[in-house]
Amino acid sequence: NAGVTQTPKFQVLKTGQSMTLQCAQDMNHEYMSWYRQDPGMGLRLIHYSVGAGITDQGEVPNGYNVSRSTTEDFPLRLLSAAPSQTSVYFCASSSQGLYGYTFGSGTRLTVV
Amino acid sequence: AQSVTQPDIHITVSEGASLELRCNYSYGATPYLFWYVQSPGQGLQLLLKYFSGDTLVQGIKGFEAEFKRSQSSFNLRKPSVHWSDAAEYFCAVGALGAQKLVFGQGTRLTINP
């Protein structure tokens, strides 16, 4: 049972480049979320999904897109990377959001 | 809107000493409260959660937390810490029926030998 798998683990982008952070879970969880973690700011919600075909914005959605075509996958797209998007990104999933989320190990992104 | 405050950015305790990490929340209805732990370079792991009922909840790794509605607090405690407890701890609040959590800023715990 792999849990929540995030790829890549590390990435360096140039300003203006686009990329997709991958997230996959094998627990048949309905709920999935993307957070970014910055020093002194805890985790902030970017986008979340309560099932295939359903997504919504969190606290800091600007500059990011998501889609949920399958239950298993929830990719996060950076449309035009900016240095302010340098962060550690976590994907999380849950069978019922209020019963706790399982987190991936994170993607460390640097935008230069 | 929901919010969570963890007043202590960094705490240092000696191995074997007791621990209390503070968490205050702001939410208009009955909150759903969580504590997560993050070891260096790792994702977050759920320690415990409170939904309703007994206000003292037990979690993994010997941790417990007490919900105090009058103080809007959900403090995490452990009677005797171990060196392996050194990590960052996050308190989070979720609204009833919500699919998203709001996290505090985190408290980094250092253990002195």
Side-chain angles (χ1 to χ4, degrees):
Chain A
N1 190 340
V4 178
T5 302
Q6 291 184 237
T7 56
K9 293 191 181 302
F10 301 94
Q11 183 70 49
V12 179
L13 286 180
K14 294 183 178 179
T15 297
Q17 287 184 317
S18 63
M19 78 159 294
T20 299
L21 307 186
Q22 301 291 345
C23 175
Q25 52 92 7
D26 61 359
M27 298 171 284
N28 201 32
H29 285 172
E30 296 176 354
Y31 298 165
M32 296 187 75
S33 299
W34 275 103
Y35 290 86
R36 60 177 289 173
Q37 183 178 26
D38 302 291
M41 304 189 73
L43 281 82
R44 293 180 293 169
L45 183 65
I46 305 171
H47 286 284
Y48 66 101
S49 169
V50 299
I54 306 170
T55 63
D56 205 349
Q57 297 181 349
E59 299 173 68
V60 289
N62 292 341
Y64 307 96
N65 273 357
V66 293
S67 59
R68 184 98 179 269
S69 56
T70 67
T71 299
E72 294 78 18
D73 299 300
F74 191 43
L76 178 71
R77 298 181 187 85
L78 280 69
L79 308 174
S80 177
S84 61
Q85 294 179 303
T86 293
S87 187
V88 181
Y89 291 84
F90 287 100
C91 179
S93 74
S94 175
S95 60
Q96 294 180 7
L98 301 177
Y99 290 88
Y101 276 80
T102 299
F103 280 77
S105 57
T107 295
R108 184 174 295 274
L109 176 68
T110 302
V111 183
V112 297
Chain B
Q2 307 143 261
S3 67
V4 177
T5 300
Q6 294 179 247
D8 304 305
I9 296 174
H10 184 205
I11 285 181
T12 300
V13 299
S14 298
E15 191 168 16
S18 64
L19 171 70
E20 183 169 26
L21 302 182
R22 296 183 290 164
C23 172
N24 294 100
Y25 68 90
S26 174
Y27 182 60
T30 299
Y32 286 40
L33 296 160
F34 305 83
W35 274 100
Y36 284 83
V37 59
Q38 183 181 33
S39 298
Q42 302 297 313
L44 279 72
Q45 180 183 22
L46 180 66
L47 282 176
L48 48 79
K49 56 186 181 286
Y50 170 79
F51 294 153
S52 63
D54 193 347
T55 56
L56 184 64
V57 294
Q58 303 296 322
I60 62 172
K61 305 185 180 190
F63 285 92
E64 66 179 25
E66 185 172 12
F67 170 60
K68 293 185 176 180
R69 183 187 300 274
S70 61
Q71 299 178 18
S72 297
S73 68
F74 188 56
N75 294 348
L76 182 71
R77 301 195 294 246
K78 187 169 185 178
S80 176
V81 298
H82 185 262
W83 63 266
S84 60
D85 293 324
E88 189 148 19
Y89 291 80
F90 292 93
C91 182
V93 61
L96 177 62
Q99 300 82 30
K100 51 187 180 180
L101 302 181
V102 173
F103 284 85
Q105 301 92 325
T107 297
R108 184 162 60 93
L109 176 64
T110 299
I111 308 294
N112 280 337

